[in-house]
Amino acid sequence: RQDLLAFLSGDAQYAPQSGQIVGILKQMHETMEKDLAEATAQEEAAISSYEGLMDAKHKEVEALTAAIEAKTKLIGELGVAIVNMKEDLDDTQKGLLADEKFLKELETSCSTKTA
């Protein structure tokens, strides 16, 4: 009971330590705010870097898709050209056979007329 009365009366026996605790807590708070600001800045930089990378990749995909489409179109056009050339070759070979046959008939006809 005397200790309680001494405490309540404000004897010099008790020295509160709450000032040091509050100081430590304030220092911890400042350190945590600083760490949070650094982490936030790093995260924002990472997000910005990611968005830049994704924009570049989207542009790359668009460019490559356009290149694929152009090459696919070219392949189709070349396929049609090849088919046309094969048909022209076939027609030319048939024409050559007809011309050779006509030449033989002409040579035969000319040889009988001169004889």
Side-chain angles (χ1 to χ4, degrees), residues 7-24:
F7 174 75
L8 292 175
S9 66
D11 284 346
Q13 304 267 346
Y14 175 73
Q17 300 294 319
S18 63
Q20 288 180 346
I21 294 172
V22 169
I24 291 171

Side-chain angles (χ1 to χ4, degrees), residues 77-105:
E77 290 171 354
L78 290 175
V80 169
I82 289 171
V83 168
N84 289 337
M85 287 179 191
K86 285 182 180 180
E87 289 177 3
D88 288 346
L89 176 63
D90 187 47
D91 291 343
T92 303
Q93 287 174 340
K94 288 178 183 176
L96 178 62
L97 289 175
D99 289 345
E100 287 175 347
K101 182 179 176 184
F102 177 71
L103 178 63
K104 285 184 183 182
E105 290 175 2

